Amino acid sequence: MELLKKLRRHLFVMENWLAAASLLVLVVLALLQIVARNLFDTGFANVDTLTRYLVLYVTFFGAAVAVTRERHIKIDVCCTMLKPGTLERLYRPMRALAALVCGLLAYAAIRFWRDEWLYAPAHEHWQLFISLIIPVGFVLLTVHFLLATVLGRDEESCCTL
């Protein structure tokens, strides 16, 4: 169990750094593109595509951090209608269900990415490497929900039931 807690902590730190770095690169590239277009009537090739993918990087790494800190989207009606003891008993089954849903989405994303790789022209393969964030992001979310299922509530989580 201690190994899984250590894995959870290391993933949290790594995802925080990756989300922050992705956001920084996104802001810098968007700013450079705006300046280039408005001041010099030009732009950088493929920066718009790259910024679109960077939004996904920030989103997926941020979502993984949110799951770790119990700040993800929850069904609030359950929180208001159910007693705290019932919510506590439902914690692990609900995280297991979320892991299952994310796992299915990861499987579909992997299949989609593989098909894209097979049929994409060679000059577009760089975009496919960047788009790996979609299957990787769903795998990360699945791992976080599985860790929450196995380990239970994190002592350092921000929210209460």
Side-chain angles (χ1 to χ4, degrees):
M1 286 295 195
E2 193 58 40
L3 180 67
L4 292 178
K5 288 180 182 180
K6 191 175 181 180
L7 172 67
R8 181 191 263 179
R9 281 192 302 274
H10 287 303
L11 279 175
F12 178 74
V13 170
M14 179 193 68
E15 290 155 355
N16 262 327
W17 279 102
L18 289 172
S22 299
L23 183 60
L24 179 66
V25 171
L26 170 66
V27 169
V28 168
L29 285 177
L31 183 63
L32 287 174
Q33 188 76 331
I34 290 168
V35 169
R37 284 185 179 167
N38 290 331
L39 296 181
F40 304 111
D41 290 328
T42 187
F44 300 105
N46 297 318
V47 166
D48 293 330
T49 302
L50 192 56
T51 56
R52 270 185 253 132
Y53 282 113
L54 283 169
V55 169
L56 290 174
Y57 276 73
V58 172
T59 302
F60 274 110
F61 290 132
V65 168
V67 169
T68 301
R69 300 312 253 163
E70 295 291 324
R71 295 284 189 170
H72 55 88
I73 297 172
K74 298 179 189 129
I75 301 173
D76 288 334
V77 73
C78 290
C79 295
T80 58
M81 295 181 72
L82 298 175
K83 296 177 183 169
T86 305
L87 287 173
E88 189 67 37
R89 285 191 299 278
L90 287 176
Y91 180 83
R92 289 178 188 222
M94 294 304 288
R95 296 320 178 269
L97 179 62
L100 176 67
V101 169
C102 287
L104 291 172
L105 289 170
Y107 175 73
I110 290 167
R111 287 191 56 200
F112 180 80
W113 187 89
R114 210 177 79 226
D115 285 347
E116 286 288 312
W117 180 264
L118 290 174
Y119 298 112
H123 70 280
E124 290 181 6
H125 280 182
W126 72 271
Q127 287 181 350
L128 292 173
F129 281 116
I130 294 171
S131 71
L132 267 173
I133 187 58
I134 298 170
V136 167
F138 280 120
V139 167
L140 278 174
L141 289 173
T142 303
V143 167
H144 279 289
F145 280 120
L146 285 174
L147 286 171
T149 302
V150 172
L151 297 174
R153 292 183 55 79
D154 188 7
E155 310 86 38
E156 299 172 7
S157 66
C158 296
C159 297
T160 59
L161 291 174

